[in-house]
């Protein structure tokens, strides 16, 4: 069964171009020029990934991302013509996994789609496909790499593949301070840039899901000027 990708962009030329490149790679594409029909479709169909424009006529892409995240964990890539850091942080905090700034090279977008799908598939394979279970336990927090399941005091914590990767990487290095550069390059597999706020935005969302008090987190702690650690 082909992986189906949701594409939402009110610029017809861009939506059509993205659709063409994704179909050439063998993906099925559900294309919409506005948010509400796309949201209705997303709530009925099984999707593997979503590509969402930020500027939409009936609902902004950030809100659409947030609505999708209420029920689904598949990767979301935002398309934005705005390059301000705050816009990027907003999208990532609301549940996006990546962003691409317009104008963009369609081949770059396809590469990012493939990267996100590989990560998502890796953390959602069945137990029969893994030779052994890999589980980390820490003060009521339990994360299983086999089932991609995270629980806190018995409560299921729904994490996206990126959030899971961040938490796993930090917990597996308990007691060690991990720099933003190391974390980004290990989880995203890309070169880190000094002005990159992606890690910070995902850490903030991860803490929110773990019910962490902002000033005194129990698990993921900030070592100012150095990085992050799980003690």
């Amino acid at each position: 069964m082909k992986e189906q990708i949701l594409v939402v962009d009110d610029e017809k030329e861009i939506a059509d171009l993205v659709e063409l490149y994704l179909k050439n790679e063998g993906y099925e594409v559900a294309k919409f020029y506005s948010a509400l029909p796309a949201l209705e479709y997303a709530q009925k169909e099984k999707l593997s990934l979503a590509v969402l424009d930020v500027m939409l006529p009936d609902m902004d892409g950030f809100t659409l991302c947030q609505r999708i995240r209420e029920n689904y964990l598949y990767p979301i890539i935002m398309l934005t013509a705005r390059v301000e850091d705050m816009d990027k942080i907003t999208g990532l905090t609301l549940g996006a996994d990546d962003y691409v700034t317009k104008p963009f090279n369609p081949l770059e977008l396809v590469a990012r789609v493939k990267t996100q799908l590989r990560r998502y598939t890796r953390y959602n394979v069945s137990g029969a496909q893994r030779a052994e279970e890999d589980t980390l336990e820490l003060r009521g927090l339990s994360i299983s790499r086999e089932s991609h399941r995270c629980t806190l005091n018995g409560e299921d914590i729904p994490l996206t593949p990126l959030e899971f990767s961040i938490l796993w990487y930090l917990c597996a290095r308990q007691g060690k301070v991990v720099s933003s550069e190391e974390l980004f390059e290990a989880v995203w597999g890309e070169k880190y840039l000094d002005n990159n706020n992606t890690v910070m935005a995902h850490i903030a969302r991860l803490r929110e899901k773990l019910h962490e008090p902002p000033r005194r987190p129990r698990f993921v702690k900030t070592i100012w000027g150095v990085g992050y650690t799980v003690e």
Side-chain angles (χ1 to χ4, degrees):
M1 183 177 179
K2 290 184 178 180
E3 292 165 309
Q4 185 174 191
I5 298 175
L6 177 69
V7 175
V8 190
D9 197 310
D10 65 336
E11 296 184 67
K12 186 177 185 301
E13 296 79 6
I14 292 179
D16 293 349
L17 184 65
V18 171
E19 178 188 34
L20 175 64
Y21 273 80
L22 290 175
K23 282 188 171 181
N24 283 344
E25 293 295 324
Y27 299 114
E28 289 186 357
V29 177
K31 180 181 62 179
F32 295 88
Y33 304 122
S34 58
L36 291 176
L39 180 60
E40 183 179 353
Y41 185 86
Q43 291 171 339
K44 295 188 299 184
E45 301 295 330
K46 184 176 181 180
L47 298 171
S48 301
L49 182 145
V51 178
L52 311 178
D53 184 28
V54 170
M55 303 297 289
L56 295 170
D58 51 350
M59 177 193 297
D60 68 75
F62 294 142
T63 303
L64 177 57
C65 172
Q66 190 174 28
R67 294 285 298 276
I68 290 174
R69 271 288 170 262
E70 290 174 359
N71 298 299
Y72 305 102
L73 295 175
Y74 52 74
I76 296 175
I77 299 175
M78 303 298 297
L79 299 181
T80 174
R82 303 187 292 188
V83 297
E84 291 84 354
D85 283 345
M86 189 53 63
D87 287 327
K88 298 173 183 177
I89 292 172
T90 298
L92 295 170
T93 302
L94 292 175
D97 296 280
D98 201 358
Y99 57 85
V100 175
T101 303
K102 296 180 180 179
F104 59 87
N105 184 331
L107 292 176
E108 178 191 355
L109 177 60
V110 169
R112 289 176 180 268
V113 165
K114 289 181 177 180
T115 297
Q116 292 297 333
L117 286 173
R118 279 198 301 270
R119 182 179 289 117
Y120 184 62
T121 301
R122 184 167 70 246
Y123 287 112
N124 285 276
V125 296
S126 68
Q129 292 174 279
R130 291 189 180 271
E132 59 182 279
E133 183 172 356
D134 236 342
T135 303
L136 296 175
E137 306 274 353
L138 176 67
R139 298 193 303 276
L141 178 68
S142 174
I143 52 176
S144 169
R145 193 157 55 177
E146 179 190 26
S147 61
H148 187 224
R149 186 184 181 197
C150 174
T151 62
L152 179 59
N153 298 322
E155 174 193 354
D156 278 311
I157 307 296
L159 300 180
T160 67
L162 269 173
E163 292 162 353
F164 186 93
S165 297
I166 292 169
L167 185 59
W168 181 272
Y169 193 86
L170 291 173
C171 286
R173 289 154 184 79
Q174 183 180 356
K176 175 186 176 183
V177 179
V178 178
S179 68
S180 294
E181 179 179 1
E182 177 186 344
L183 188 58
F184 184 85
E185 293 183 0
V187 174
W188 278 262
E190 299 176 14
K191 185 66 178 175
Y192 179 82
L193 300 176
D194 289 340
N195 62 349
N196 196 323
N197 290 310
T198 302
V199 172
M200 180 178 66
H202 280 281
I203 290 289
R205 182 166 175 81
L206 183 58
R207 284 173 172 160
E208 181 183 344
K209 288 189 174 182
L210 292 174
H211 314 303
E212 295 265 69
R215 296 185 179 277
R216 301 183 66 182
R218 291 182 57 224
F219 297 106
V220 182
K221 299 185 178 181
T222 300
I223 307 299
W224 294 109
V226 184
Y228 302 96
T229 186
V230 171
E231 296 178 345

